[in-house]
């Protein structure tokens, strides 16, 4: 059937099938954009290569802004007094808007102006980034010393041991008014709204971009373009952590510093970095990357020529494929129509009615269900690790937030990219069939599990915090004041200005809790050091230094990250073979929606709940909570052993689940092979030859 040619006035009423038919030919006389590009010099916006470049940059920026919150999660917790459970829910909330709309993307397909919708989605993502930074500008300046005034330089003397008569009365009425609590809730609500808008804006970017490239690129160039797109896109999360490392090394109120400056360094546990600045930078990049999409046409002329170096490399392969394609010239259009007919030819009501049946039929397929469950386990592991690994490194090894993000950006994400590439190369070079793909997945999951075992034993012991109960299972975790030494002092219950007695490595919440009555500043060429003397709760020299005690095992952070990165690479080897098991395990007419169902289930079962589960597990290891207006705020001290065992234990649990799923997949595939072999033996000779050719043909089709 040739393309339908009609008057210009009837052009908007072209059916979807006719549109696809015109896109499949080299000349599209019915398309006004194609006629203009043929009559005049083609615009750069009618070039699919330029679209691939723009879309690679846009997806890179979009994943950069999506992953930036995870790089600054511990900083946001400290700035707004959030628990890990709440911050995990905040990090997962962008999946809510995404999941609610992603299924309908497969219905709309090419019915809409895809480039413009991508541009609108990107603008919404940029606005969400600006909204995410808004709480910084409408909130009060950060006060790391609650006893000092807002508009005055921070005074270390406010935390000293003072008689009760000299301590000003607490102003709970002003600091904990209903207005203050309402403003705090409003700031948190703004961030949750921004995360929701971020998910909604991300919906059309990837699926519409991929389908647009596949429609108008040369059939032999499309896989290369998509490979370039994915390769560039995968660098986005790594750049997000790198940007987080740079921004968190700057003070949060860099735009409104107090006159006397600050007496904090990035190693101080009260340090809060400029978390908001990364959102502004990422939002600006997304807005710039979105601009070209409003100039791309709805349909552009299909690319006519294969790339020169592809023709040279695949000359021999293409000659072999030409002969098979000449035998069945109508096979490709039929396949394409079979994949597309389930959604574009239906109305919205019909699509909603058909979807549950397709969902149930797909989920009843054992291979599909097990592969999705294995990917849910691996995605849950990845979501928890990406969200809370920076915080884990900060707490476990006493490193700065900036350094933790730099380590993750330099080690974890590049190793994950290498793992995905290695998995694809192994399938390509070894021509792996379904059984061998499941074996590769099983070996990757098993190796990942084994390399995770040493992580349970690589960590630092819990700091000795004076006056804190080291039994996290008790009903109330309160300060146990040393008898006698603090009786003359009136220490504020919620102050936090940690000091360390270096000889015994005992840490106190404030100089007041150490009974210190005097402050001394020792000037040095590089930096000044603050000491507190005349401390009644400290033996020997009776002095303590400002800041938390240094960790004795911070050097273990590099071996820890190397093992984490190696485990991530081994887990990512399973990505491509497991995806191929899904593509070859469902019916052709269900394949498009099966992939959509897969990503929907991954979001609902993994990316949404996993950060909340990990955050809740981290909260159970807290030793001392800060209090804000009577409510529990951020955790100040964790039990390091419990934190390590529960965080790594959750990771180990999900890795074990994926290993079990891959083992069941291998068992089912081998059982199917045995049943087919039994049938082959039972059949007579002529039919046997026909039956044997079937599986061989399927195996050949499975090869990538």
């Amino acid at each position: 059937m040739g393309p339908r040619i009609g008057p210009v006035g009837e052009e908007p009423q072209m059916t979807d099938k006719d549109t696809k038919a015109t896109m499949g030919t080299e000349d599209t006389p019915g398309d006004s954009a194609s006629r203009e590009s043929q009559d005049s010099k083609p615009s750069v916006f009618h070039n699919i290569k330029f679209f691939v470049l723009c879309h690679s940059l846009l997806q890179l920026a979009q994943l950069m802004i999506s992953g930036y919150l995870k790089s600054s999660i511990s900083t946001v917790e400290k700035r707004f007094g959030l628990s890990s459970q709440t911050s995990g829910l905040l990090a997962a909330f962008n999946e809510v808007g995404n999941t609610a709309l992603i299924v309908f993307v497969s219905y709309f397909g090419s019915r809409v102006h895809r480039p413009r919708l991508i541009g609108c989605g990107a603008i919404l993502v940029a606005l969400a980034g600006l909204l995410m930074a808004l709480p910084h500008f409408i909130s009060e300046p950060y006060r790391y010393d609650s006893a000092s005034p807002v508009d005055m330089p921070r005074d270390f003397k406010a935390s000293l041991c003072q008689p009760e008569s000299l301590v000003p009365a607490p102003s709970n009425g002003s600091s904990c008014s209903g207005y203050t609590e309402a403003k705090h809730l409003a700031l948190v609500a703004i961030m949750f709204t921004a995360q929701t808008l971020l998910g909604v804006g991300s919906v059309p970017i990837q699926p519409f971009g991929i389908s647009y490239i596949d429609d108008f690129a040369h059939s032999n160039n499309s896989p290369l373009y998509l490979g370039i797109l994915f390769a560039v896109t995968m660098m986005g999360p790594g750049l997000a952590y790198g940007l987080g490392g740079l921004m968190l090394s700057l003070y949060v109120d860099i735009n409104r510093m107090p006159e006397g400056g600050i007496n904090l360094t990035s190693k101080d546990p009260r340090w809060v970095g400029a978390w908001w600045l990364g959102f502004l930078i990422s939002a600006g990049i997304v807005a710039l990357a979105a601009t070209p999409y409003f100039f791309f046409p709805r349909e552009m002329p299909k690319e006519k020529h294969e790339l020169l170096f592809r023709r040279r490399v695949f000359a021999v392969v293409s000659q072999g494929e030409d002969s098979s394609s000449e035998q069945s010239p109508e096979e490709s259009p039929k396949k394409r129509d079979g994949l597309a007919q389930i959604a574009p030819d239906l109305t919205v009501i019909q699509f909603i009615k058909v979807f549950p049946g397709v969902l149930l039929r797909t989920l009843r397929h054992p291979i599909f269900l097990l592969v999705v469950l294995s990917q849910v386990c691996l995605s849950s592991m990845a979501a928890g690790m990406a969200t809370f690994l920076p915080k884990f490194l900060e707490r476990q090894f006493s490193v700065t937030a900036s350094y933790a993000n730099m380590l993750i950006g330099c080690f974890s994400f590049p190793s994950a990219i290498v793992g995905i590439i290695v998995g694809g190369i192994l399938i390509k070079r070894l021509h792996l069939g379904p059984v061998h793909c499941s074996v590769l997945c099983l070996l990757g999951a098993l190796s990942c599990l084994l390399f995770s075992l040493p992580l349970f034993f690589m960590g630092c012991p819990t700091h000795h915090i004076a006056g804190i109960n080291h039994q996290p299972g008790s009903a109330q975790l309160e300060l146990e004041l040393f008898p006698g030494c603090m009786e003359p002092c009136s220490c504020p219950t919620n102050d936090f200005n940690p000091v360390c007695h270096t000889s015994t490595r005992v840490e106190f919440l404030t100089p007041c809790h150490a009974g210190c009555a005097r402050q001394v500043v020792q000037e040095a060429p590089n930096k000044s050091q603050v000491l507190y003397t005349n401390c009644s709760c400290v033996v020997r020299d009776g002095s303590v230094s400002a800041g938390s005690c240094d960790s004795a095992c911070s050097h273990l952070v590099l071996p820890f990250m190397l093992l984490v990165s190696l485990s991530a690479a081994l887990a990512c080897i399973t990505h491509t073979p497991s995806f191929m098991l899904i593509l070859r395990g469902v019916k052709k007419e269900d394949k498009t929606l099966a992939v959509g169902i897969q990503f929907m289930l991954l979001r609902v079962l993994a990316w949404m709940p996993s950060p909340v589960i990990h955050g809740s597990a981290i909260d159970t290891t807290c030793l001392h909570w800060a209090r804000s207006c009577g409510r529990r705020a951020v955790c100040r001290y964790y039990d390091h052993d419990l934190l390590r065992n529960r965080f790594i234990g959750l990771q180990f649990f999900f890795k074990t689940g994926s290993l079990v799923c891959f083992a069941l997949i291998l068992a089912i595939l081998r059982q199917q092979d045995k049943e087919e072999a039994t049938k082959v033996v039972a059949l007579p000779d002529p039919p046997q030859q026909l039956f044997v050719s079937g599986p061989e043909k399927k195996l050949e089709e499975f090869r990538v």
Side-chain angles (χ1 to χ4, degrees):
M1 184 181 71
R4 186 173 67 179
I5 304 175
V8 178
E10 297 179 4
E11 182 186 357
Q13 300 179 357
M14 291 176 64
T15 64
D16 224 0
K17 290 184 178 179
D18 291 333
T19 304
K20 290 186 176 183
T22 58
M23 290 189 298
T25 58
E26 294 182 0
D27 297 321
T28 55
D31 186 17
S32 59
S34 300
R35 289 201 305 268
E36 292 175 2
S37 63
Q38 292 172 356
D39 295 338
S40 60
K41 186 177 180 179
S43 169
V44 68
F45 295 104
H46 287 76
N47 190 333
I48 193 63
K49 297 183 184 67
F50 184 65
F51 183 88
V52 172
L53 174 64
C54 292
H55 204 62
S56 300
L57 296 177
L58 176 61
Q59 286 198 185
L60 176 71
Q62 182 255 319
L63 284 183
M64 189 174 172
I65 195 173
S66 298
Y68 180 76
L69 175 63
K70 297 177 176 62
S71 70
S72 56
I73 198 76
S74 62
T75 300
V76 173
E77 286 181 11
K78 282 191 285 187
R79 180 64 182 90
F80 297 101
L82 305 179
S83 65
S84 294
Q85 184 183 40
T86 304
S87 64
L89 181 63
L90 177 64
F93 222 69
N94 68 324
E95 303 293 344
V96 174
N98 200 302
T99 304
L101 299 176
I102 191 65
V103 176
F104 294 95
V105 170
S106 58
Y107 164 74
F108 284 110
S110 58
R111 294 170 181 248
V112 297
H113 195 300
R114 284 173 287 182
R116 287 183 185 172
L117 200 60
I118 292 172
C120 293
I123 294 298
L124 186 59
V125 168
L127 292 177
L130 296 178
L131 188 62
M132 195 70 194
L134 180 62
H136 167 76
F137 296 96
I138 62 177
S139 61
E140 298 292 333
Y142 173 58
R143 297 173 60 183
Y144 59 82
D145 190 347
S146 59
S148 61
V150 176
D151 299 326
M152 295 178 61
R154 301 330 192 225
D155 184 10
F156 280 94
K157 294 182 180 179
S159 297
L160 294 178
C161 177
Q162 303 179 40
E164 187 174 356
S165 59
L166 299 179
V167 177
S171 56
N172 291 334
S174 59
S175 61
C176 294
S177 62
Y179 171 77
T180 303
E181 281 296 284
K183 188 173 183 179
H184 175 267
L185 293 177
L187 296 177
V188 176
I190 288 174
M191 290 190 289
F192 274 94
T193 303
Q195 284 291 97
T196 305
L197 294 178
L198 183 61
V200 172
S202 303
V203 169
I205 293 178
Q206 184 172 11
F208 283 169
I210 292 175
S211 64
Y212 194 83
I213 293 172
D214 190 57
D215 283 346
F216 303 116
H218 191 280
S219 58
N220 291 336
N221 294 339
S222 179
L224 176 64
Y225 292 154
L226 295 180
I228 295 173
L229 175 66
F230 291 139
V232 175
T233 299
M234 288 166 61
M235 295 188 295
L239 291 178
Y241 281 90
L243 179 64
L246 293 175
M247 296 300 104
L248 297 184
S249 63
L250 305 174
Y251 185 62
V252 60
D253 289 326
I254 191 174
N255 61 323
R256 48 186 180 184
M257 292 285 284
E259 294 181 2
I262 59 172
N263 294 313
L264 286 184
T265 64
S266 59
K267 293 183 178 181
D268 195 296
R270 298 172 296 169
W271 174 270
V272 172
W275 60 274
W276 53 274
L277 193 55
F279 283 107
L280 296 183
I281 295 174
S282 301
I285 296 175
V286 171
L288 289 176
T291 305
Y293 286 88
F294 296 98
F295 301 96
F296 283 108
R298 178 170 182 169
E299 298 174 3
M300 66 170 60
K302 189 171 179 68
E303 194 177 29
K304 299 180 181 180
H305 304 293
E306 185 180 5
L307 295 178
L308 182 60
F309 78 93
R310 276 192 57 89
R311 279 185 285 176
R312 291 176 177 175
V313 173
F314 297 103
V316 178
V317 179
S318 61
Q319 288 177 2
E321 292 177 350
D322 288 342
S323 59
S324 60
S325 62
E326 289 175 359
Q327 295 175 0
S328 55
E330 298 180 357
E331 183 178 357
S332 179
K334 287 183 179 178
K335 285 184 179 180
R336 191 171 184 179
D337 185 65
L339 292 174
Q341 65 183 358
I342 192 165
D345 294 341
L346 301 176
T347 64
V348 177
I349 303 300
Q350 291 173 335
F351 175 77
I352 295 176
K353 290 180 179 179
V354 169
F355 178 73
V358 177
L359 176 63
L360 293 177
R361 183 169 67 247
T362 305
L363 291 180
R364 281 199 297 263
H365 195 290
I367 300 298
F368 175 83
L369 184 60
L370 287 172
V371 171
V372 169
L373 287 178
S374 67
Q375 291 184 341
V376 165
C377 291
L378 292 176
S379 296
S380 298
M381 175 201 71
M385 187 70 77
T387 305
F388 289 108
L389 183 58
K391 178 175 181 175
F392 178 84
L393 296 179
E394 291 177 48
R395 297 293 186 167
Q396 188 68 216
F397 300 101
S398 299
V399 298
T400 65
S402 175
Y403 184 60
N405 281 289
M406 286 296 184
L407 287 177
I408 297 173
C410 293
F411 285 97
S412 296
F413 284 97
S415 63
I417 295 173
V418 171
I420 294 176
I421 295 174
V422 169
I425 292 176
L426 289 176
I427 296 178
K428 175 71 176 177
R429 293 297 178 88
L430 301 180
H431 303 287
L432 300 181
V435 175
H436 292 94
C437 274
S438 62
V439 171
L440 179 60
C441 292
L442 184 64
L443 291 177
L446 179 61
S447 302
C448 174
L449 194 68
L450 294 178
F451 278 100
S452 299
L453 287 175
L455 299 179
F456 284 100
F457 310 100
M458 299 177 64
C460 299
T462 307
H463 290 172
H464 183 193
I465 315 298
I468 291 185
N469 188 356
H470 285 271
Q471 297 178 357
S474 58
Q476 291 183 349
L477 305 179
E478 298 178 345
L479 294 177
E480 296 179 350
L481 303 180
F482 288 155
C485 67
M486 289 181 53
E487 288 182 358
C489 307
S490 298
C491 302
T493 57
N494 204 39
D495 267 10
F496 187 57
N497 180 14
V499 292
C500 178
H501 187 223
T502 54
S503 58
T504 60
R505 303 188 67 83
V506 176
E507 189 169 324
F508 297 86
L509 289 177
T510 66
C512 181
H513 287 84
C516 302
R518 187 182 175 194
Q519 173 210 1
V520 176
V521 179
Q522 294 182 348
E523 298 293 341
N526 296 331
K527 62 178 181 179
S528 60
Q529 183 180 6
V530 179
L531 295 177
Y532 296 93
T533 59
N534 298 341
C535 302
S536 58
C537 298
V538 176
V539 294
R540 299 177 188 175
D541 54 357
S543 65
V544 294
S545 59
S548 295
C549 296
D550 293 332
S551 176
C553 59
S554 296
H555 61 279
L556 292 178
V557 67
L558 287 178
F560 184 91
M561 281 304 303
L562 288 176
L563 279 178
V564 168
S565 302
L566 184 57
S567 300
L570 292 171
C572 289
I573 287 179
T574 66
H575 179 271
T576 303
S578 62
F579 193 73
M580 297 307 299
L581 286 172
I582 289 180
L583 291 179
R584 306 309 180 193
V586 297
K587 294 181 179 180
K588 292 179 180 178
E589 61 269 18
D590 295 342
K591 192 177 298 184
T592 303
L593 281 182
V595 175
I597 292 170
Q598 172 202 7
F599 286 108
M600 181 189 71
L601 292 177
L602 289 181
R603 284 184 169 90
V604 173
L605 301 179
W607 291 99
M608 288 176 60
S610 180
V612 182
I613 294 172
H614 281 78
S616 301
I618 291 174
D619 284 342
T620 61
T621 67
C622 184
L623 290 175
H624 177 61
W625 290 94
R627 312 292 297 185
S628 176
C629 298
R631 63 174 178 85
R632 195 175 70 176
V634 67
C635 180
R636 286 175 174 163
Y637 291 106
Y638 290 92
D639 186 315
H640 288 188
D641 294 329
L642 272 181
L643 175 63
R644 181 174 63 255
N645 290 335
R646 292 184 181 178
F647 183 75
I648 302 300
L650 265 178
Q651 299 285 304
F652 195 83
F653 170 78
F654 288 124
K655 293 174 183 177
T656 305
S658 66
L659 179 66
V660 171
C661 291
F662 286 132
L664 292 176
I665 292 170
L666 179 60
I668 292 174
L669 290 176
R670 285 185 172 177
Q671 183 63 29
Q672 291 177 351
D673 285 352
K674 290 181 181 179
E675 293 176 357
E676 290 179 357
T678 304
K679 292 179 182 179
V680 169
V681 174
L683 289 174
D685 289 340
Q688 179 179 351
Q689 183 66 27
L690 294 174
F691 185 84
V692 173
S693 64
E696 290 178 354
K697 183 178 180 181
K698 289 182 180 179
L699 182 60
E700 189 68 23
E701 290 179 355
F702 184 84
R703 294 175 181 174
V704 181

